[in-house]
Amino acid sequence: MKFDTYFTMSEEQAVAYAKSKLNFIFNQEAELECKEIGDGNLNYIFKIWDKVSGKSIIVKQSGPVARISDEFTLSPDRNRIEFEILKYEGELAPGLVPQVYMYDPIMNCTVMDDLSDHQIMRTALMQFKKFPLFSEHISEFMVNTLLLTTDVVLEHKQKKELVKNFINPELCEISEDLVFTEPFSNNKSRNDVFAPNKEWVEEHLYHDHQLRLETAIMKFEFMNHAQSLIHGDLHTGSIFIKEDSTKIIDPEFAFFGPMGYDVGNVIANLMFAWANSDANGQLDHKLWLEETIVDVVDKFLVKFSIAWDQHVSEYTAKYEGFKEYYISSILRDTAGVVGLEGIRRIVGLAHVKDITTIRDEAARVRAERICMTASKRFIMNRSSFSSGREFLAVIKEAENLF
Ligand code: SR1
Ligand code: MG
């Protein structure tokens, strides 16, 4: 096997690949084993380890279609984007992404650190674990990767070059369809609505013209506002975590878009974890999540403002009042995206386990309605947010309705 023509690998073939291509990682005596451990919607994740030395590595391979459904034909170029962005993010936010070692444009593989000593954050939150450093880490990651890739910081021509390099049409199309369009219309009949909430969804989503109008406005902002290099899919399944370390993975949806898309995704997915803890009677964990929601927003705002003063050199961006205008527009986009993600993961094609694993039917109906009601308010009132407490208040108000 020369690996000079693309094919989707099996575990055995991934071992052969490592023997042939990864001799800068594993030596000749290595006894390699492999397990495919991916549970995401798109790719294949091979964990390869040497039984002799204990050394291990991840080989992530993109297939030509999405794992979740072959309706999604995707350019394997997403693997290049992921490799280049992880390298770039590693410079902007040291220690907060896995180290990448190699990108293979023929086999569409990226080779990176094995983070098996970490856990996928969604899984850990569903085990009611707390991570006191998370708000520090994620706010640092977002401020560094988002502000430092804008044209209030970067030289304008350099930023435009980056926009060109990270154009990502197919993955963006997935978000345009699955996040902004289908959840509010079911126009492709791909929505997957929990049966007891079907009528509720029809009345409160599909038949709410004002809501749909706002989602259209946000969709065109998402497509046309090349603000900064966003991760593009920053949910708790894209985060590896342990007590003292947070690593952001999977930036294959990255492109130059509105930075509130990332912040909003984090908050929405904390809301799902919150709903799960609530449904399972885990009051202490629920309270920790409430404080975390507040902290993520507030720490982001404080750090963003400090970093702005340190890094922004653009002439007009330094006009009095511009920073405040800029931050309020990020908060508006953030709130809108909390609402979009908060709805699309409940009624759209790609669900989250925080909600789908709630076994008791009435509890799941309630959890979904709380999230969707809060989400509608986030969308409709998105211009009114200025602090983390205000984000939490929307969720708490929705909780009190059900
Ligand atoms: C077809 S991919 C479905 C979803 O999985 C990814 O993680 C993105 O969130 C996408 O919307
Ligand atoms: Mg992913």
Side-chain angles (χ1 to χ4, degrees):
M1 244 178 287
K2 288 204 206 115
F3 302 99
D4 53 3
T5 315
Y6 175 79
F7 63 94
T8 319
M9 292 189 287
S10 65
E11 290 174 345
E12 293 71 31
Q13 289 162 332
V15 166
Y17 181 81
K19 283 187 176 147
S20 148
K21 301 277 182 188
L22 304 184
N23 41 28
F24 63 99
I25 293 172
F26 298 115
N27 62 31
Q28 290 298 318
E29 289 73 48
E31 286 180 36
L32 298 184
E33 294 201 334
C34 173
K35 188 162 171 47
E36 202 282 314
I37 57 169
D39 70 345
N41 294 326
L42 298 183
N43 305 299
Y44 300 89
I45 314 289
F46 298 100
K47 175 176 167 156
I48 301 170
W49 67 96
D50 173 10
K51 281 200 297 182
V52 182
S53 67
K55 194 181 274 184
S56 62
I57 203 83
I58 293 294
V59 175
K60 177 170 178 176
Q61 185 179 39
S62 315
V65 292
R67 240 178 135 145
I68 188 175
S69 153
D70 56 16
E71 268 186 47
F72 299 95
T73 321
L74 300 168
S75 159
D77 188 45
R78 66 187 189 273
N79 217 278
R80 173 195 65 83
I81 291 183
E82 173 155 358
F83 175 73
E84 290 186 6
I85 289 179
L86 280 173
K87 261 201 318 188
Y88 191 21
E89 287 177 343
E91 290 160 21
L92 298 169
L96 292 170
V97 293
Q99 195 173 343
V100 280
Y101 299 101
M102 190 187 105
Y103 162 60
D104 177 342
I106 295 169
M107 293 301 291
N108 296 310
C109 288
T110 298
V111 181
M112 65 184 92
D113 275 341
D114 174 25
L115 297 170
S116 298
D117 57 336
H118 293 59
Q119 216 182 347
I120 286 290
M121 186 172 182
R122 191 183 307 285
T123 313
L125 293 178
M126 287 171 59
Q127 293 164 355
F128 314 117
K129 294 184 183 164
K130 298 178 192 168
F131 298 96
L133 294 178
F134 173 68
S135 56
E136 281 299 338
H137 290 163
I138 198 73
S139 53
E140 181 183 331
F141 174 81
M142 292 193 295
V143 168
N144 289 11
T145 58
L146 297 174
L147 177 62
L148 301 186
T149 56
T150 61
D151 38 22
V152 291
V153 171
L154 290 177
E155 194 278 318
H156 294 184
K157 292 193 290 306
Q158 185 196 351
K159 188 246 179 176
K160 288 181 175 72
E161 271 303 310
L162 288 170
V163 172
K164 207 163 67 179
N165 195 32
F166 292 124
I167 198 98
N168 198 353
E170 287 164 341
L171 282 283
C172 283
E173 186 184 36
I174 292 183
S175 302
E176 288 152 24
D177 288 343
L178 294 190
V179 179
F180 293 86
T181 313
E182 295 176 30
F184 305 93
S185 61
N186 200 22
N187 60 320
K188 291 193 179 166
S189 305
R190 292 196 296 207
N191 283 356
D192 178 10
V193 182
F194 187 47
N197 270 336
K198 206 163 167 286
E199 274 177 33
W200 195 98
V201 165
E202 277 166 16
E203 182 188 341
H204 294 273
L205 302 183
Y206 304 163
H207 294 152
D208 186 335
H209 172 70
Q210 206 52 44
L211 176 73
R212 281 156 51 103
L213 177 60
E214 296 305 324
T215 63
I217 292 168
M218 289 190 287
K219 178 175 168 181
F220 284 86
E221 281 167 3
F222 176 78
M223 293 192 290
N224 293 298
H225 189 192
Q227 186 174 32
S228 65
L229 184 54
I230 67 172
H231 177 284
D233 199 24
L234 195 44
H235 57 82
T236 47
S238 295
I239 300 172
F240 263 119
I241 199 157
K242 61 180 177 142
E243 206 183 324
D244 58 350
S245 168
T246 306
K247 303 273 187 192
I248 317 304
I249 59 164
D250 268 8
E252 64 203 322
F253 282 79
F255 77 113
F256 274 80
M259 59 175 88
Y261 195 78
D262 280 357
V263 190
N265 260 282
V266 173
I267 302 300
N269 282 276
L270 291 173
M271 174 173 76
F272 296 137
W274 172 91
N276 181 281
S277 293
D278 177 58
N280 284 291
Q282 296 286 332
L283 185 60
D284 191 41
H285 194 252
K286 180 180 160 190
L287 290 174
W288 175 76
L289 283 161
E290 291 180 1
E291 285 317 304
T292 303
I293 288 169
V294 173
D295 287 349
V296 170
V297 175
D298 289 346
K299 285 179 184 173
F300 175 80
L301 292 175
V302 169
K303 290 179 188 181
F304 190 92
S305 179
I306 294 169
W308 180 285
D309 295 341
Q310 284 169 348
H311 296 285
V312 170
S313 55
E314 210 277 351
Y315 186 79
T316 59
K318 291 174 102 176
Y319 287 174
E320 194 185 331
F322 186 75
K323 174 168 91 171
E324 290 69 24
Y325 151 79
Y326 199 96
I327 289 175
S328 72
S329 76
I330 298 168
L331 281 168
R332 182 202 59 211
D333 295 346
T334 297
V337 172
V338 179
L340 290 164
E341 176 78 358
I343 287 172
R344 74 99 167 197
R345 293 291 189 183
I346 289 174
V347 307
L349 178 91
H351 285 214
V352 286
K353 287 194 182 135
D354 321 46
I355 301 296
T356 56
T357 58
I358 299 172
R359 284 221 200 95
D360 179 73
E361 182 176 298
R364 177 163 169 190
V365 166
R366 178 170 180 273
E368 291 194 352
R369 290 189 189 182
I370 292 171
C371 291
M372 289 191 289
T373 301
S375 293
K376 283 186 72 170
R377 292 183 178 184
F378 280 120
I379 292 171
M380 298 308 294
N381 302 330
R382 64 190 184 283
S383 298
S384 68
F385 291 84
S386 58
S387 72
R389 290 263 158 233
E390 290 170 2
F391 278 79
L392 178 61
V394 171
I395 299 170
K396 300 295 288 176
E397 280 160 26
E399 180 189 17
N400 289 332
L401 295 175
F402 298 99

